Amino acid sequence: MSTETPEASSVGGSLADRVTKPDDTNPADATPVNNGDGASGPAQGSVDLEEPDYTVEVKLSDLQADPNNPLFSIKTFEDLGLDARILKGLSTMNFRKPSKVQERALPLLMSNPPKNLVGQSQSGTGKTAAFVLNVLSRLDLSDQMRVMPQALILAPTRELARQIVGVVQIMGQFLDGLTIGTAVPADSNARPSKMEAAVVVGTPGTVQDMIKKRIMNPSALKVLVLDEADNMLDQQGLGDQCIRAKAMIPRDVQIVLFSATFPAHVYRYAGKFAPGANEITLQHEELTVEGIKQLYMDCASEEEKYQNLVQLYGLLTVGSSIIFVRTRHSAAEIERRMVAEGHTVASLTGGVEGSQRDAIIDSFRSGDAKVLITTNVLARGIDVSTVSLVVNYDIPEEYSSGHRTHTPDFQTYLHRIGRTGRFGRIGVAISFVSNRDEWEMLRKIQAHFNCTIDRIDTSDWDEVEEIIKKTIKNTRAQAGFNQ
Ligand SMILES: Nc1ncnc2c1ncn2[C@@H]1O[C@H](COP(=O)(O)OP(=O)(O)OP(=O)(O)O)[C@@H](O)[C@H]1O
């Protein structure tokens, strides 16, 4: 799949002139090898975009009219049989037409008797709306029932759970009596004594604990959704918690699993977790998103990675950016050094607790913090439309018994770069390559997704800056504004 986008071409095509293709046959030539070796503020569709400052050729409506685009649909939300109050919610979010996964999943999800679903589609193509619309359509909001949990949505992180709460709130804003509960680890004793909400969104450990302690009564549940399902079922700890949570709820709930990625071994298991499920799946070659321009940068050493990041700072703040690193320690260290040099950056890792984490992600969402350094904790699901640049400071890799394997973590790569280029927007993802192992991992990632990751030449930073800026700025000239 080509990563050259219509939008990138529309700003003059100069990025293609500037980048050079990696030479797969001789990595040592292409890379100077060093042998030493994130508010529950709702996702707003596209309404917050500013006026672009130059001509834009691609509109969301064009993308949604292209049968090869994951945002394509022939139907309207009205055609999908949604309640008028829910349609009103969608309209305030500026959702005009469904995406492909929404159009395909909704009839399968909403049919009766309910059937399970395993659903896959590219990052940023609207899976959240697909499962939230089904959840909202199935609620009984009569006086006795509105305080009974009827839908349980599980997500791997508190940030994602809070984000989903925001989507349920805004999409369901015209449903009288809709109550939503958030079940994430609480600071000290801030946990409610009773979970009286029709929709509960949370992380598996906290939900399981709430059911065990009878804070949450699962007896009226009708729908169980696992967002980022492959991660939820496969990640150590989370998988067990999901199985235990499932064992505590009624057997006849509708089970809905969604993710952009389902590696083969998890996919087989997903079929057992959601028996007899309808399936919407993709080949891994189909998973990259056209609007994300994938690039890499040679770095002679670890230190040069840092220097390149600092050089990029001006670009990082054109929109918002996420820098992914391997460990909490390096996140903290990069933050410390950049702040000491006078740059404004924030970091959010698993080492930060509760409300402090909420404050950091909220300030990133609001644009107060524009550069966020993080680990894989924010690789999945986080939807901040202003993110125009993602940096893989370290290429994501698989671990075995706690040790690095120098094997790329394909799924995480895809989820990380998918924090930009959301729902038809343009974004740039830059991976830093500082040694032969990283080069090999990058090569394997290209082969796996059948995509091209172009080299960006850092010999003239002014030019690098100008070219990336043009691509990033074009992000603003995106969907929604130009429908
Ligand atoms: N039909 C639609 N019309 C306009 N915007 C939409 C539509 N559906 C979803 N969006 C917007 O697209 C963005 C991405 O949606 P969402 O977060 O659900 O993607 P996703 O498929 O779950 O991505 P990921 O795989 O990264 O979790 C959100 O900002 C959402 O508000």
Side-chain angles (χ1 to χ4, degrees), residues 43-46 60 64 77 93-99 101-102 121-129 131 160 163 167 227-228 259-260 380-383 385 415 418-419 422-423 425 483:
Q44 278 288 326
S46 333
L60 179 57
Q64 294 203 280
F77 282 113
M93 296 175 84
N94 210 18
F95 285 18
R96 309 262 166 93
K97 268 177 84 176
S99 63
V101 69
Q102 290 165 356
S121 101
Q122 295 86 344
S123 55
T125 53
K127 292 182 287 293
T128 315
F131 64 72
L160 189 49
Q163 176 178 295
V167 175
D227 194 15
E228 308 300 340
S259 181
R380 286 174 172 256
I382 295 303
D383 179 59
S385 62
H415 286 279
R419 293 320 96 215
R422 315 232 359 118
F423 216 85
R425 291 176 174 80
Q483 297 176 85

mmCIF file of all heavy atoms in Angstrom, residues 43-46 60 64 77 93-99 101-102 121-129 131 160 163 167 227-228 259-260 380-383 385 415 418-419 422-423 425 483, ligand 1:
data_model
loop_
_atom_site.group_PDB
_atom_site.id
_atom_site.type_symbol
_atom_site.label_atom_id
_atom_site.label_comp_id
_atom_site.label_asym_id
_atom_site.label_seq_id
_atom_site.Cartn_x
_atom_site.Cartn_y
_atom_site.Cartn_z
ATOM 1 N N ALA A 43 -14.297 12.652 22.298
ATOM 2 C CA ALA A 43 -13.768 12.772 20.961
ATOM 3 C C ALA A 43 -14.765 13.578 20.146
ATOM 4 O O ALA A 43 -15.948 13.301 20.164
ATOM 5 C CB ALA A 43 -13.614 11.388 20.371
ATOM 6 N N GLN A 44 -14.313 14.559 19.452
ATOM 7 C CA GLN A 44 -15.214 15.522 18.842
ATOM 8 C C GLN A 44 -15.371 15.364 17.347
ATOM 9 O O GLN A 44 -15.610 16.332 16.665
ATOM 10 C CB GLN A 44 -14.681 16.921 19.111
ATOM 11 C CG GLN A 44 -15.045 17.444 20.484
ATOM 12 C CD GLN A 44 -16.498 17.798 20.601
ATOM 13 O OE1 GLN A 44 -17.116 18.251 19.636
ATOM 14 N NE2 GLN A 44 -17.096 17.590 21.741
ATOM 15 N N GLY A 45 -15.204 14.145 16.822
ATOM 16 C CA GLY A 45 -15.281 14.047 15.376
ATOM 17 C C GLY A 45 -14.298 15.021 14.812
ATOM 18 O O GLY A 45 -13.136 15.006 15.142
ATOM 19 N N SER A 46 -14.755 15.946 14.045
ATOM 20 C CA SER A 46 -13.818 16.808 13.368
ATOM 21 C C SER A 46 -14.138 18.269 13.582
ATOM 22 O O SER A 46 -13.686 19.128 12.846
ATOM 23 C CB SER A 46 -13.870 16.504 11.889
ATOM 24 O OG SER A 46 -14.271 15.200 11.667
ATOM 25 N N LEU A 60 -13.281 15.038 3.608
ATOM 26 C CA LEU A 60 -13.771 13.798 4.202
ATOM 27 C C LEU A 60 -14.830 13.167 3.303
ATOM 28 O O LEU A 60 -14.865 11.956 3.122
ATOM 29 C CB LEU A 60 -14.341 14.075 5.595
ATOM 30 C CG LEU A 60 -14.911 12.857 6.317
ATOM 31 C CD1 LEU A 60 -13.890 11.740 6.460
ATOM 32 C CD2 LEU A 60 -15.443 13.251 7.693
ATOM 33 N N GLN A 64 -14.954 9.383 1.989
ATOM 34 C CA GLN A 64 -16.082 8.499 2.315
ATOM 35 C C GLN A 64 -16.832 8.039 1.060
ATOM 36 O O GLN A 64 -17.681 7.158 1.147
ATOM 37 C CB GLN A 64 -17.031 9.177 3.315
ATOM 38 C CG GLN A 64 -16.342 9.378 4.679
ATOM 39 C CD GLN A 64 -17.316 9.499 5.831
ATOM 40 O OE1 GLN A 64 -17.876 10.565 6.049
ATOM 41 N NE2 GLN A 64 -17.525 8.410 6.560
ATOM 42 N N PHE A 77 -26.407 7.064 8.691
ATOM 43 C CA PHE A 77 -26.720 6.562 10.029
ATOM 44 C C PHE A 77 -28.218 6.307 10.150
ATOM 45 O O PHE A 77 -28.641 5.364 10.824
ATOM 46 C CB PHE A 77 -26.249 7.546 11.097
ATOM 47 C CG PHE A 77 -24.761 7.486 11.352
ATOM 48 C CD1 PHE A 77 -23.943 8.547 11.014
ATOM 49 C CD2 PHE A 77 -24.174 6.368 11.922
ATOM 50 C CE1 PHE A 77 -22.575 8.499 11.247
ATOM 51 C CE2 PHE A 77 -22.803 6.295 12.159
ATOM 52 C CZ PHE A 77 -22.001 7.366 11.821
ATOM 53 N N MET A 93 -22.063 15.672 17.066
ATOM 54 C CA MET A 93 -20.640 15.342 16.948
ATOM 55 C C MET A 93 -20.129 15.591 15.542
ATOM 56 O O MET A 93 -18.960 15.333 15.252
ATOM 57 C CB MET A 93 -20.414 13.875 17.319
ATOM 58 C CG MET A 93 -20.731 13.551 18.747
ATOM 59 S SD MET A 93 -20.578 11.789 19.068
ATOM 60 C CE MET A 93 -18.829 11.633 19.379
ATOM 61 N N ASN A 94 -21.028 16.011 14.665
ATOM 62 C CA ASN A 94 -20.659 16.283 13.277
ATOM 63 C C ASN A 94 -20.325 15.005 12.504
ATOM 64 O O ASN A 94 -19.532 15.028 11.567
ATOM 65 C CB ASN A 94 -19.475 17.259 13.219
ATOM 66 C CG ASN A 94 -19.516 18.106 11.970
ATOM 67 O OD1 ASN A 94 -20.563 18.200 11.327
ATOM 68 N ND2 ASN A 94 -18.402 18.708 11.626
ATOM 69 N N PHE A 95 -20.893 13.885 12.933
ATOM 70 C CA PHE A 95 -20.741 12.638 12.186
ATOM 71 C C PHE A 95 -21.802 12.643 11.086
ATOM 72 O O PHE A 95 -22.990 12.500 11.351
ATOM 73 C CB PHE A 95 -20.988 11.410 13.077
ATOM 74 C CG PHE A 95 -19.887 11.071 14.043
ATOM 75 C CD1 PHE A 95 -18.913 11.992 14.394
ATOM 76 C CD2 PHE A 95 -19.832 9.805 14.615
ATOM 77 C CE1 PHE A 95 -17.902 11.662 15.300
ATOM 78 C CE2 PHE A 95 -18.835 9.467 15.514
ATOM 79 C CZ PHE A 95 -17.866 10.391 15.858
ATOM 80 N N ARG A 96 -21.374 12.760 9.851
ATOM 81 C CA ARG A 96 -22.341 12.823 8.748
ATOM 82 C C ARG A 96 -22.674 11.449 8.176
ATOM 83 O O ARG A 96 -23.806 11.169 7.840
ATOM 84 C CB ARG A 96 -21.788 13.706 7.630
ATOM 85 C CG ARG A 96 -21.308 15.070 8.092
ATOM 86 C CD ARG A 96 -22.374 16.141 7.865
ATOM 87 N NE ARG A 96 -22.050 17.345 8.599
ATOM 88 C CZ ARG A 96 -21.369 18.364 8.089
ATOM 89 N NH1 ARG A 96 -20.955 18.338 6.845
ATOM 90 N NH2 ARG A 96 -21.134 19.441 8.818
ATOM 91 N N LYS A 97 -21.628 10.651 8.008
ATOM 92 C CA LYS A 97 -21.806 9.321 7.408
ATOM 93 C C LYS A 97 -21.007 8.299 8.190
ATOM 94 O O LYS A 97 -19.952 8.627 8.739
ATOM 95 C CB LYS A 97 -21.259 9.333 5.978
ATOM 96 C CG LYS A 97 -22.276 9.662 4.907
ATOM 97 C CD LYS A 97 -21.591 9.722 3.557
ATOM 98 C CE LYS A 97 -21.462 8.326 2.960
ATOM 99 N NZ LYS A 97 -20.889 8.360 1.592
ATOM 100 N N PRO A 98 -21.478 7.047 8.214
ATOM 101 C CA PRO A 98 -20.684 6.027 8.905
ATOM 102 C C PRO A 98 -19.407 5.709 8.135
ATOM 103 O O PRO A 98 -19.307 5.969 6.936
ATOM 104 C CB PRO A 98 -21.593 4.802 8.932
ATOM 105 C CG PRO A 98 -22.758 5.091 8.080
ATOM 106 C CD PRO A 98 -22.726 6.520 7.639
ATOM 107 N N SER A 99 -18.436 5.120 8.833
ATOM 108 C CA SER A 99 -17.263 4.549 8.172
ATOM 109 C C SER A 99 -17.605 3.112 7.780
ATOM 110 O O SER A 99 -18.659 2.585 8.151
ATOM 111 C CB SER A 99 -16.073 4.573 9.126
ATOM 112 O OG SER A 99 -16.352 3.756 10.241
ATOM 113 N N VAL A 101 -16.390 0.252 8.829
ATOM 114 C CA VAL A 101 -16.589 -0.677 9.952
ATOM 115 C C VAL A 101 -17.906 -0.378 10.670
ATOM 116 O O VAL A 101 -18.605 -1.291 11.128
ATOM 117 C CB VAL A 101 -15.388 -0.681 10.930
ATOM 118 C CG1 VAL A 101 -15.262 0.612 11.712
ATOM 119 C CG2 VAL A 101 -15.473 -1.869 11.876
ATOM 120 N N GLN A 102 -18.295 0.882 10.736
ATOM 121 C CA GLN A 102 -19.574 1.221 11.387
ATOM 122 C C GLN A 102 -20.738 0.680 10.549
ATOM 123 O O GLN A 102 -21.673 0.073 11.080
ATOM 124 C CB GLN A 102 -19.689 2.743 11.552
ATOM 125 C CG GLN A 102 -18.714 3.286 12.590
ATOM 126 C CD GLN A 102 -18.515 4.797 12.541
ATOM 127 O OE1 GLN A 102 -19.042 5.487 11.673
ATOM 128 N NE2 GLN A 102 -17.735 5.308 13.477
ATOM 129 N N SER A 121 -10.751 -3.114 12.348
ATOM 130 C CA SER A 121 -10.574 -2.118 11.297
ATOM 131 C C SER A 121 -9.420 -1.206 11.667
ATOM 132 O O SER A 121 -8.999 -1.153 12.829
ATOM 133 C CB SER A 121 -11.872 -1.358 11.025
ATOM 134 O OG SER A 121 -11.874 -0.123 11.618
ATOM 135 N N GLN A 122 -8.901 -0.509 10.686
ATOM 136 C CA GLN A 122 -7.693 0.289 10.863
ATOM 137 C C GLN A 122 -7.854 1.301 11.995
ATOM 138 O O GLN A 122 -8.967 1.715 12.321
ATOM 139 C CB GLN A 122 -7.379 1.059 9.569
ATOM 140 C CG GLN A 122 -7.028 0.203 8.366
ATOM 141 C CD GLN A 122 -8.250 -0.264 7.590
ATOM 142 O OE1 GLN A 122 -9.378 -0.207 8.073
ATOM 143 N NE2 GLN A 122 -8.028 -0.745 6.384
ATOM 144 N N SER A 123 -6.694 1.730 12.536
ATOM 145 C CA SER A 123 -6.744 2.709 13.631
ATOM 146 C C SER A 123 -7.441 3.994 13.167
ATOM 147 O O SER A 123 -7.317 4.397 11.999
ATOM 148 C CB SER A 123 -5.329 3.033 14.118
ATOM 149 O OG SER A 123 -4.530 3.471 13.041
ATOM 150 N N GLY A 124 -8.201 4.570 14.074
ATOM 151 C CA GLY A 124 -8.836 5.856 13.801
ATOM 152 C C GLY A 124 -9.996 5.812 12.827
ATOM 153 O O GLY A 124 -10.360 6.819 12.223
ATOM 154 N N THR A 125 -10.612 4.637 12.644
ATOM 155 C CA THR A 125 -11.711 4.542 11.677
ATOM 156 C C THR A 125 -13.083 4.427 12.348
ATOM 157 O O THR A 125 -14.074 4.104 11.704
ATOM 158 C CB THR A 125 -11.507 3.346 10.707
ATOM 159 O OG1 THR A 125 -11.295 2.155 11.488
ATOM 160 C CG2 THR A 125 -10.310 3.583 9.808
ATOM 161 N N GLY A 126 -13.130 4.668 13.649
ATOM 162 C CA GLY A 126 -14.428 4.792 14.299
ATOM 163 C C GLY A 126 -14.992 3.530 14.934
ATOM 164 O O GLY A 126 -16.217 3.353 15.007
ATOM 165 N N LYS A 127 -14.112 2.678 15.456
ATOM 166 C CA LYS A 127 -14.612 1.464 16.116
ATOM 167 C C LYS A 127 -15.378 1.814 17.396
ATOM 168 O O LYS A 127 -16.356 1.160 17.743
ATOM 169 C CB LYS A 127 -13.435 0.517 16.442
ATOM 170 C CG LYS A 127 -12.790 -0.063 15.181
ATOM 171 C CD LYS A 127 -11.672 -1.025 15.476
ATOM 172 C CE LYS A 127 -10.414 -0.370 15.965
ATOM 173 N NZ LYS A 127 -9.713 0.472 14.964
ATOM 174 N N THR A 128 -14.922 2.859 18.088
ATOM 175 C CA THR A 128 -15.593 3.230 19.346
ATOM 176 C C THR A 128 -17.067 3.525 19.101
ATOM 177 O O THR A 128 -17.944 3.017 19.812
ATOM 178 C CB THR A 128 -14.926 4.479 19.966
ATOM 179 O OG1 THR A 128 -13.520 4.320 19.902
ATOM 180 C CG2 THR A 128 -15.373 4.696 21.392
ATOM 181 N N ALA A 129 -17.340 4.334 18.082
ATOM 182 C CA ALA A 129 -18.741 4.665 17.805
ATOM 183 C C ALA A 129 -19.526 3.399 17.481
ATOM 184 O O ALA A 129 -20.684 3.247 17.879
ATOM 185 C CB ALA A 129 -18.832 5.656 16.645
ATOM 186 N N PHE A 131 -19.209 0.348 18.645
ATOM 187 C CA PHE A 131 -19.705 -0.415 19.806
ATOM 188 C C PHE A 131 -20.552 0.444 20.738
ATOM 189 O O PHE A 131 -21.497 -0.051 21.353
ATOM 190 C CB PHE A 131 -18.589 -1.187 20.523
ATOM 191 C CG PHE A 131 -17.485 -0.396 21.173
ATOM 192 C CD1 PHE A 131 -17.695 0.339 22.329
ATOM 193 C CD2 PHE A 131 -16.197 -0.446 20.661
ATOM 194 C CE1 PHE A 131 -16.655 1.038 22.949
ATOM 195 C CE2 PHE A 131 -15.150 0.246 21.263
ATOM 196 C CZ PHE A 131 -15.384 0.999 22.412
ATOM 197 N N LEU A 160 -7.878 5.340 28.279
ATOM 198 C CA LEU A 160 -8.812 4.914 27.240
ATOM 199 C C LEU A 160 -10.220 4.762 27.815
ATOM 200 O O LEU A 160 -11.212 5.154 27.184
ATOM 201 C CB LEU A 160 -8.311 3.609 26.596
ATOM 202 C CG LEU A 160 -9.065 3.139 25.354
ATOM 203 C CD1 LEU A 160 -9.247 4.241 24.329
ATOM 204 C CD2 LEU A 160 -8.352 1.948 24.713
ATOM 205 N N GLN A 163 -11.701 8.097 28.088
ATOM 206 C CA GLN A 163 -12.038 8.629 26.761
ATOM 207 C C GLN A 163 -13.354 8.028 26.262
ATOM 208 O O GLN A 163 -14.214 8.724 25.714
ATOM 209 C CB GLN A 163 -10.903 8.278 25.792
ATOM 210 C CG GLN A 163 -11.161 8.694 24.359
ATOM 211 C CD GLN A 163 -9.971 8.344 23.469
ATOM 212 O OE1 GLN A 163 -8.902 8.896 23.641
ATOM 213 N NE2 GLN A 163 -10.157 7.429 22.529
ATOM 214 N N VAL A 167 -17.092 9.585 25.070
ATOM 215 C CA VAL A 167 -17.840 9.318 23.833
ATOM 216 C C VAL A 167 -19.281 8.893 24.170
ATOM 217 O O VAL A 167 -20.244 9.346 23.552
ATOM 218 C CB VAL A 167 -17.132 8.225 22.982
ATOM 219 C CG1 VAL A 167 -17.965 7.858 21.759
ATOM 220 C CG2 VAL A 167 -15.744 8.702 22.553
ATOM 221 N N ASP A 227 -12.568 -3.408 24.276
ATOM 222 C CA ASP A 227 -11.871 -2.578 23.302
ATOM 223 C C ASP A 227 -10.396 -2.961 23.351
ATOM 224 O O ASP A 227 -9.907 -3.384 24.400
ATOM 225 C CB ASP A 227 -12.068 -1.091 23.652
ATOM 226 C CG ASP A 227 -11.672 -0.183 22.504
ATOM 227 O OD1 ASP A 227 -11.522 -0.674 21.363
ATOM 228 O OD2 ASP A 227 -11.526 1.033 22.733
ATOM 229 N N GLU A 228 -9.703 -2.789 22.249
ATOM 230 C CA GLU A 228 -8.305 -3.260 22.149
ATOM 231 C C GLU A 228 -8.244 -4.724 22.567
ATOM 232 O O GLU A 228 -7.401 -5.157 23.356
ATOM 233 C CB GLU A 228 -7.363 -2.402 23.018
ATOM 234 C CG GLU A 228 -7.463 -0.918 22.789
ATOM 235 C CD GLU A 228 -7.134 -0.504 21.350
ATOM 236 O OE1 GLU A 228 -6.477 -1.286 20.641
ATOM 237 O OE2 GLU A 228 -7.570 0.577 20.944
ATOM 238 N N SER A 259 -10.645 -4.419 17.762
ATOM 239 C CA SER A 259 -9.271 -3.926 17.745
ATOM 240 C C SER A 259 -8.861 -3.662 16.299
ATOM 241 O O SER A 259 -9.491 -4.168 15.357
ATOM 242 C CB SER A 259 -8.309 -4.944 18.357
ATOM 243 O OG SER A 259 -6.995 -4.415 18.330
ATOM 244 N N ALA A 260 -7.788 -2.876 16.147
ATOM 245 C CA ALA A 260 -7.194 -2.723 14.812
ATOM 246 C C ALA A 260 -6.346 -3.939 14.472
ATOM 247 O O ALA A 260 -6.079 -4.205 13.308
ATOM 248 C CB ALA A 260 -6.349 -1.455 14.753
ATOM 249 N N ARG A 380 -2.298 2.675 22.504
ATOM 250 C CA ARG A 380 -3.560 2.212 21.930
ATOM 251 C C ARG A 380 -4.754 3.115 22.245
ATOM 252 O O ARG A 380 -4.906 3.568 23.379
ATOM 253 C CB ARG A 380 -3.888 0.815 22.465
ATOM 254 C CG ARG A 380 -3.015 -0.262 21.838
ATOM 255 C CD ARG A 380 -3.272 -1.575 22.495
ATOM 256 N NE ARG A 380 -2.605 -2.673 21.833
ATOM 257 C CZ ARG A 380 -3.204 -3.563 21.039
ATOM 258 N NH1 ARG A 380 -4.499 -3.480 20.817
ATOM 259 N NH2 ARG A 380 -2.520 -4.530 20.480
ATOM 260 N N GLY A 381 -5.549 3.336 21.218
ATOM 261 C CA GLY A 381 -6.888 3.888 21.412
ATOM 262 C C GLY A 381 -6.980 5.380 21.626
ATOM 263 O O GLY A 381 -8.025 5.983 21.348
ATOM 264 N N ILE A 382 -5.910 5.995 22.135
ATOM 265 C CA ILE A 382 -6.033 7.408 22.499
ATOM 266 C C ILE A 382 -6.306 8.247 21.252
ATOM 267 O O ILE A 382 -5.611 8.136 20.246
ATOM 268 C CB ILE A 382 -4.762 7.897 23.244
ATOM 269 C CG1 ILE A 382 -4.636 7.150 24.574
ATOM 270 C CG2 ILE A 382 -4.777 9.400 23.459
ATOM 271 C CD1 ILE A 382 -5.842 7.271 25.506
ATOM 272 N N ASP A 383 -7.356 9.059 21.328
ATOM 273 C CA ASP A 383 -7.849 9.797 20.168
ATOM 274 C C ASP A 383 -7.765 11.290 20.454
ATOM 275 O O ASP A 383 -8.615 11.849 21.133
ATOM 276 C CB ASP A 383 -9.309 9.372 19.907
ATOM 277 C CG ASP A 383 -9.915 10.100 18.721
ATOM 278 O OD1 ASP A 383 -9.363 9.969 17.614
ATOM 279 O OD2 ASP A 383 -10.924 10.805 18.910
ATOM 280 N N SER A 385 -7.334 14.534 18.123
ATOM 281 C CA SER A 385 -7.305 14.825 16.687
ATOM 282 C C SER A 385 -6.166 15.739 16.278
ATOM 283 O O SER A 385 -5.749 15.744 15.129
ATOM 284 C CB SER A 385 -8.640 15.417 16.253
ATOM 285 O OG SER A 385 -8.852 16.628 16.931
ATOM 286 N N HIS A 415 -0.372 0.535 16.256
ATOM 287 C CA HIS A 415 -1.203 1.315 17.175
ATOM 288 C C HIS A 415 -0.534 2.653 17.486
ATOM 289 O O HIS A 415 -1.207 3.678 17.542
ATOM 290 C CB HIS A 415 -1.469 0.548 18.467
ATOM 291 C CG HIS A 415 -2.456 -0.579 18.282
ATOM 292 N ND1 HIS A 415 -3.807 -0.386 18.269
ATOM 293 C CD2 HIS A 415 -2.271 -1.905 18.070
ATOM 294 C CE1 HIS A 415 -4.420 -1.544 18.072
ATOM 295 N NE2 HIS A 415 -3.510 -2.481 17.951
ATOM 296 N N GLY A 418 -0.794 5.006 14.720
ATOM 297 C CA GLY A 418 -2.223 5.306 14.565
ATOM 298 C C GLY A 418 -2.749 6.367 15.520
ATOM 299 O O GLY A 418 -3.923 6.717 15.490
ATOM 300 N N ARG A 419 -1.871 6.911 16.399
ATOM 301 C CA ARG A 419 -2.335 8.037 17.243
ATOM 302 C C ARG A 419 -2.463 9.299 16.409
ATOM 303 O O ARG A 419 -3.023 10.293 16.854
ATOM 304 C CB ARG A 419 -1.377 8.308 18.414
ATOM 305 C CG ARG A 419 -1.271 7.244 19.509
ATOM 306 C CD ARG A 419 -2.578 6.625 19.871
ATOM 307 N NE ARG A 419 -2.808 5.387 19.172
ATOM 308 C CZ ARG A 419 -4.000 4.973 18.745
ATOM 309 N NH1 ARG A 419 -5.090 5.679 18.913
ATOM 310 N NH2 ARG A 419 -4.128 3.814 18.122
ATOM 311 N N ARG A 422 -6.007 10.393 12.170
ATOM 312 C CA ARG A 422 -7.289 9.835 12.592
ATOM 313 C C ARG A 422 -8.440 10.298 11.700
ATOM 314 O O ARG A 422 -8.560 11.442 11.343
ATOM 315 C CB ARG A 422 -7.577 10.182 14.059
ATOM 316 C CG ARG A 422 -6.363 9.968 14.893
ATOM 317 C CD ARG A 422 -6.359 9.169 16.104
ATOM 318 N NE ARG A 422 -7.484 8.510 16.667
ATOM 319 C CZ ARG A 422 -7.534 7.182 16.810
ATOM 320 N NH1 ARG A 422 -6.557 6.419 16.369
ATOM 321 N NH2 ARG A 422 -8.568 6.631 17.395
ATOM 322 N N PHE A 423 -9.244 9.352 11.320
ATOM 323 C CA PHE A 423 -10.451 9.572 10.521
ATOM 324 C C PHE A 423 -10.208 10.532 9.348
ATOM 325 O O PHE A 423 -10.840 11.580 9.226
ATOM 326 C CB PHE A 423 -11.610 10.058 11.396
ATOM 327 C CG PHE A 423 -12.923 9.482 10.920
ATOM 328 C CD1 PHE A 423 -13.332 8.231 11.331
ATOM 329 C CD2 PHE A 423 -13.730 10.161 10.015
ATOM 330 C CE1 PHE A 423 -14.529 7.675 10.875
ATOM 331 C CE2 PHE A 423 -14.918 9.614 9.542
ATOM 332 C CZ PHE A 423 -15.320 8.362 9.984
ATOM 333 N N ARG A 425 -7.518 12.264 8.617
ATOM 334 C CA ARG A 425 -6.518 13.326 8.740
ATOM 335 C C ARG A 425 -5.160 12.837 8.260
ATOM 336 O O ARG A 425 -4.936 11.649 8.083
ATOM 337 C CB ARG A 425 -6.421 13.782 10.191
ATOM 338 C CG ARG A 425 -7.645 14.520 10.671
ATOM 339 C CD ARG A 425 -7.513 14.862 12.140
ATOM 340 N NE ARG A 425 -8.610 15.701 12.578
ATOM 341 C CZ ARG A 425 -9.820 15.263 12.878
ATOM 342 N NH1 ARG A 425 -10.094 13.975 12.792
ATOM 343 N NH2 ARG A 425 -10.755 16.109 13.267
ATOM 344 N N GLN A 483 -16.235 19.314 4.587
ATOM 345 C CA GLN A 483 -17.176 18.310 4.113
ATOM 346 C C GLN A 483 -18.055 18.916 3.059
ATOM 347 O O GLN A 483 -18.631 18.302 2.274
ATOM 348 C CB GLN A 483 -18.005 17.757 5.251
ATOM 349 C CG GLN A 483 -17.105 17.035 6.255
ATOM 350 C CD GLN A 483 -17.868 16.556 7.437
ATOM 351 O OE1 GLN A 483 -18.439 15.486 7.407
ATOM 352 N NE2 GLN A 483 -17.910 17.341 8.475
HETATM 353 N N1 LIG B 1 -18.768 8.510 11.209
HETATM 354 C C1 LIG B 1 -17.900 9.393 11.663
HETATM 355 N N2 LIG B 1 -17.852 10.645 11.129
HETATM 356 C C2 LIG B 1 -16.933 11.556 11.568
HETATM 357 N N3 LIG B 1 -16.012 11.299 12.531
HETATM 358 C C3 LIG B 1 -16.016 10.067 13.091
HETATM 359 C C4 LIG B 1 -16.967 9.070 12.694
HETATM 360 N N4 LIG B 1 -16.742 7.951 13.414
HETATM 361 C C5 LIG B 1 -15.707 8.246 14.249
HETATM 362 N N5 LIG B 1 -15.271 9.511 14.053
HETATM 363 C C6 LIG B 1 -14.145 10.166 14.746
HETATM 364 O O1 LIG B 1 -12.975 9.514 14.317
HETATM 365 C C7 LIG B 1 -12.006 9.505 15.355
HETATM 366 C C8 LIG B 1 -11.464 8.099 15.535
HETATM 367 O O2 LIG B 1 -12.458 7.249 16.054
HETATM 368 P P1 LIG B 1 -12.133 6.094 17.110
HETATM 369 O O3 LIG B 1 -11.337 6.636 18.232
HETATM 370 O O4 LIG B 1 -13.391 5.391 17.413
HETATM 371 O O5 LIG B 1 -11.191 5.156 16.215
HETATM 372 P P2 LIG B 1 -10.786 3.644 16.469
HETATM 373 O O6 LIG B 1 -11.112 2.899 15.223
HETATM 374 O O7 LIG B 1 -11.348 3.139 17.744
HETATM 375 O O8 LIG B 1 -9.203 3.819 16.573
HETATM 376 P P3 LIG B 1 -8.117 2.962 17.379
HETATM 377 O O9 LIG B 1 -7.901 1.698 16.608
HETATM 378 O O10 LIG B 1 -6.922 3.838 17.379
HETATM 379 O O11 LIG B 1 -8.658 2.696 18.762
HETATM 380 C C9 LIG B 1 -12.692 10.037 16.595
HETATM 381 O O12 LIG B 1 -12.296 11.381 16.793
HETATM 382 C C10 LIG B 1 -14.167 9.979 16.256
HETATM 383 O O13 LIG B 1 -14.889 11.007 16.905
#
